[in-house]
Amino acid sequence: MGDERGVEEVHDLDPREFFERVHSFESWFHSVEGYLTGTEYGHRPRLGERPLPPAERERLITVLCNYCVGETAALEGASGLVGFAPNRPTKVFLSTQVVDEGRHLEVLLHRLGELGVVDPEAEVERRANPAIREFRRRLLELVASKDWEAALFAQNVVLEAMEFTVFQSHARSADPVTAEVLAGIVKDERRHIGFGENELGRRLRESPHRRARLSEVKRDLDALVLDTFEETLRELGLPASERPDLGRTYLAAVARLGFGR
Ligand SMILES: [Fe+2]
Ligand SMILES: [Fe+2]
């Protein structure tokens, strides 16, 4: 099934084949049914849940609140991009992404509820990191200005590649329920990153002058996301030796588009 391919493999597909394969609900449905069938709110219903020690639960809640801001930004960003995407197949892909991001937000809010948070919405407002909130604000500005390449780069490369790496690292050390929720999200994010790279890669080959604008966006925005996720990994108590991995997928993705760090 296509969803099992890694980001690199998706990227290696012939651009035309990629365009035809991923820009459809047909492909989306076959992907998600492979890993969501039988789950409820992103995890198997009878997965044994042990109560977390209070300090660990507190840290997890804060981290999930930050993820909720990232997913809200992606949901609002992707839905805004539908309005000025350059062609119909791209609008179709983005509509599958809107569904994915809405699902991510839903399962994360639900997970907060499972952890005993009575009002997840208020908790996100209370705990979320100012840097990720600022990223959301700037992303939505790029969307409002209908700057297709810049908004897509900020969302489907900068935000998604970092989320992908952090969710993967977190899933390795998380409790079984959170790990399963994150593993499902990561599979969706792979498609989104692949789409962003494919679309931007083609445009940069056609019009190399666009690179300067994207370098500007990268310089403005990547620190905000990087700061948030570095803090996330500290919250999770991951050893320092694992932290350099944080930007790996992100750096690989921007390197494939021809940007250095
Ligand atoms: Fe997402
Ligand atoms: Fe995404």
Side-chain angles (χ1 to χ4, degrees), residues 162-178:
M162 286 200 211
E163 282 185 333
F164 180 87
T165 314
V166 171
F167 293 173
Q168 258 191 337
S169 310
H170 185 183
R172 283 198 287 273
S173 64
D175 64 274
V177 177
T178 303

Side-chain angles (χ1 to χ4, degrees), residues 6-165:
V7 173
E8 288 78 6
E9 291 169 87
V10 166
H11 185 80
D12 287 344
L13 278 179
D14 170 71
R16 176 138 301 278
E17 189 190 340
F18 180 94
F19 195 87
E20 281 164 13
R21 190 165 68 80
V22 305
H23 289 61
S24 71
F25 267 91
E26 190 62 30
S27 155
W28 174 84
F29 180 71
H30 288 301
S31 291
V32 298
E33 75 172 346
Y35 51 89
L36 294 182
T37 300
T39 65
E40 286 176 12
Y41 293 101
H43 62 83
R44 282 167 293 164
R46 276 177 293 283
L47 207 56
E49 172 128 68
R50 58 171 176 90
L52 295 174
E56 193 182 322
R57 174 182 167 276
E58 274 302 299
R59 285 197 300 269
L60 178 60
I61 290 171
T62 299
V63 164
L64 294 177
C65 286
N66 283 323
Y67 294 172
C68 281
V69 177
E71 295 298 338
T72 305
L75 171 60
E76 293 166 338
S79 60
L81 285 167
V82 172
F84 61 101
N87 54 56
R88 288 180 175 79
T90 302
K91 289 175 192 284
V92 172
F93 177 85
L94 283 166
S95 64
T96 68
Q97 184 172 346
V98 170
V99 173
D100 289 333
E101 306 301 3
R103 185 187 81 80
H104 300 169
L105 186 55
E106 178 183 66
V107 296
L108 292 171
L109 290 169
H110 190 264
R111 184 73 192 121
L112 287 170
E114 289 172 338
L115 291 166
V117 174
V118 178
D119 185 349
E121 189 75 14
E123 208 63 32
V124 172
E125 286 309 309
R126 205 160 67 78
R127 298 196 189 215
N129 184 315
I132 191 74
R133 290 177 203 261
E134 177 62 13
F135 175 87
R136 176 187 172 205
R137 196 184 65 73
R138 301 235 208 134
L139 170 65
L140 296 181
E141 266 175 17
L142 292 174
V143 172
S145 67
K146 303 196 173 180
D147 189 337
W148 171 249
E149 282 95 9
L152 192 64
F153 182 72
Q155 177 176 290
N156 283 44
V157 179
V158 177
L159 175 62
E160 304 254 8
M162 286 200 211
E163 282 185 333
F164 180 87
T165 314

Side-chain angles (χ1 to χ4, degrees), residues 9 33 38 90 102 104 113 116 126 151 153 156 169 181 183 188 191 198 208 213-214 220 222 225-226 240 252-253:
E9 291 169 87
E33 75 172 346
T90 302
H104 300 169
R126 205 160 67 78
F153 182 72
N156 283 44
S169 310
V181 169
D188 296 336
R191 276 194 304 281
N198 181 270
R213 170 73 182 118
L214 295 190
D220 282 355
D222 63 4
V225 187
L226 204 54

